[in-house]
Amino acid sequence: MTAQPIRWRLGEASFQRVLLWLCGCLLSTAAMAQPNPLTLQEALRLARQNYPALKAKEKAVDVAREGVAQTRTQRLPSLKVSEQLNYGTTNATAGILLPFGTVIPTTGTFANEASYRGTFGSITTLYSEWAPITFGQYQARLDEAQQAVNVAVADLANDAFTQQVRVTQTYLELLAIERYRQVQRQDVDRVTTLGQIVGRLTKNGLRPGVDTEFANAEVAKAKLALFAAQDREARLRTQLATLLGTSAQNWQLDSAYITRLPSSVYLDSSATLHPQLGLLQQAIRLTDARTSTLRKSYRPQVALLGGTWARGSGIGANGDINWGVGGLPPNRLNYALGIGLTFNILDYARIRSQVRQESIRSQQQQDDFRQARLELDNQVSLADQRLQLAQQQAEQAPVQLRAAARAYRQQTLLYDGGLGDLTALTQALYNLRKAETDQLLITNQAWQTLLSKTAATGDFAPFFNALRP
């Protein structure tokens, strides 16, 4: 009895489900193997959106803005409510004082003799202070808080720009190592074929056996170089994923940055708007604002005072002492208005020392600014020279590659025909390998040099414009 096909044993519906499952697996595998296109602009967007360190800098900006809001609340009057329930002696001195500064108010009548008998009492107060006149102190504190926001924003912009440079540099390096790996793969195939030729000739006695060992060594060397390229590629892919704030993927990078030289639109630019210089400028302004706040802190402060309070006392109008809790409820209501002025005369020496300290710090920051500006300008000048040199190198690289390829083919034919030796063939192979690597690296180095100029000028627009025809 012949066995029925599997489709009939499983049933029509089951067979269709299995078929669909197999198709899904094949499609999923194909989708996983399919490279994910990743342009440089998209990589920069992902890094700006996902990188945790930049998100932390954004939170620092929010913290600084809350500092401005907190400074504005210092303009509001204070309003304090307090309640006291007391039990104490009846000795006191007459008078009514508002609790301003360090004054301790005391009230009541002066007793004829000291008494240590106690009674209950209470006081409920509603007290307010408002300083409408600060002689510029409030505005100075507000300006300092706003400058702190500007520093935080400039710090975020500088870190974001530095992150863009790091992402672009890693992107270009990964693109170069991917192409270098392909070159090394071709070199492995080439030396493998060469090893087969050498093996055939030595087997037939046309070449000495030592040539086989040399050929095997070249094959092993080419494979080791390929493995090193694969390792470098894996590390760069992980590094790029970390900078993007995501997991490593099989990205398909933009090959234009490895096959085309940058155009000449990058020649006119300067470092005046560099984020690093902007951060240093904001730091100087913050120091100057802090100096202004210190100077104005020596000025007096005028405050409007107002209060109302209710007293409860266990001492009657005739001087009798109520021994119970009848003195706890308030039985007298009072109010008072006043103007207070505070001025710490002896603060001058302390504030003057702090002002001198901040002035020296401002001078130090200005020197740092000039140093950074000098270094950035020199980097721009160096990048311009290297870009011109890269253009000249790019003109000679194809000539070298064509000549090396012809020389290798000729040496291979000569060796195969018994007219050449392995030393000359190995040298030709080395020259061809170097020419292919030079052709690859010159273009990448041109973009890396343009990136170094971008890092010195602080503007990415020329970098992307250099890709246009």
Side-chain angles (χ1 to χ4, degrees), residues 196-429:
Q196 293 173 353
I197 295 175
V198 172
R200 175 174 53 80
L201 293 176
T202 55
K203 184 178 181 180
N204 295 330
L206 300 177
R207 290 292 177 179
V210 70
D211 285 5
T212 303
E213 300 301 328
F214 280 118
N216 293 336
E218 286 295 327
V219 173
K221 182 169 67 173
K223 289 182 178 180
L224 288 175
L226 175 61
F227 296 154
Q230 292 173 340
D231 177 70
R232 177 64 176 165
E233 180 183 358
R235 286 187 284 118
L236 282 174
R237 192 175 298 276
T238 302
Q239 180 179 339
L240 180 61
T242 302
L243 293 174
L244 301 185
T246 181
S247 58
Q249 302 177 26
N250 184 22
W251 290 302
Q252 181 181 356
L253 306 184
D254 189 355
S255 61
Y257 293 101
I258 202 67
T259 58
R260 294 169 50 185
L261 285 171
S263 62
S264 59
V265 297
Y266 48 76
L267 294 180
D268 296 328
S269 57
S270 62
T272 51
L273 299 179
H274 196 281
Q276 181 183 359
L277 299 180
L279 175 60
L280 292 174
Q281 285 180 342
Q282 294 300 334
I284 294 172
R285 292 170 184 169
L286 175 59
T287 302
D288 293 341
R290 189 178 295 115
T291 302
S292 177
T293 301
L294 286 172
R295 285 197 179 102
K296 294 179 180 179
S297 65
Y298 184 66
R299 299 176 181 180
Q301 182 173 337
V302 177
L304 300 180
L305 313 174
T308 178
W309 64 97
R311 285 290 303 270
S313 177
I315 303 176
N318 57 359
D320 294 338
I321 296 176
N322 182 357
W323 293 95
V325 295
L328 292 179
N331 49 37
R332 291 292 188 272
L333 178 65
N334 299 282
Y335 67 90
L337 301 174
I339 299 178
L341 184 144
T342 57
F343 183 51
N344 193 337
I345 300 176
L346 299 180
D347 260 3
Y348 179 75
R350 177 181 59 83
I351 293 176
R352 183 179 61 178
S353 178
Q354 292 178 344
V355 168
R356 285 200 302 264
Q357 183 183 23
E358 293 300 325
S359 298
I360 296 174
R361 180 178 287 111
S362 177
Q363 296 173 8
Q364 176 190 1
Q365 291 171 338
Q366 291 173 8
D367 291 337
D368 291 339
F369 177 86
R370 286 189 288 269
Q371 178 67 28
R373 181 63 179 271
L374 176 63
E375 293 177 357
L376 292 174
D377 288 342
N378 288 336
Q379 289 177 16
V380 171
S381 177
L382 176 61
D384 286 338
Q385 299 175 20
R386 294 186 62 192
L387 283 169
Q388 295 176 1
L389 181 61
Q391 184 68 36
Q392 298 173 3
Q393 291 175 333
E395 295 175 357
Q396 298 300 321
V399 177
Q400 178 190 15
L401 180 60
R402 288 193 297 269
R406 286 196 300 267
Y408 175 73
R409 287 196 298 270
Q410 292 173 1
Q411 288 294 333
T412 302
L413 293 175
L414 290 174
Y415 183 84
D416 194 15
L419 301 177
D421 56 11
L422 186 60
T423 302
L425 180 59
T426 304
Q427 183 62 40
L429 175 62

Side-chain angles (χ1 to χ4, degrees), residues 79 96-100 126-130 303-309 334-340:
L79 184 62
I96 297 176
L97 296 175
L98 290 172
F100 179 72
L126 181 64
Y127 176 71
S128 177
E129 290 184 20
W130 182 42
L304 300 180
L305 313 174
T308 178
W309 64 97
N334 299 282
Y335 67 90
L337 301 174
I339 299 178

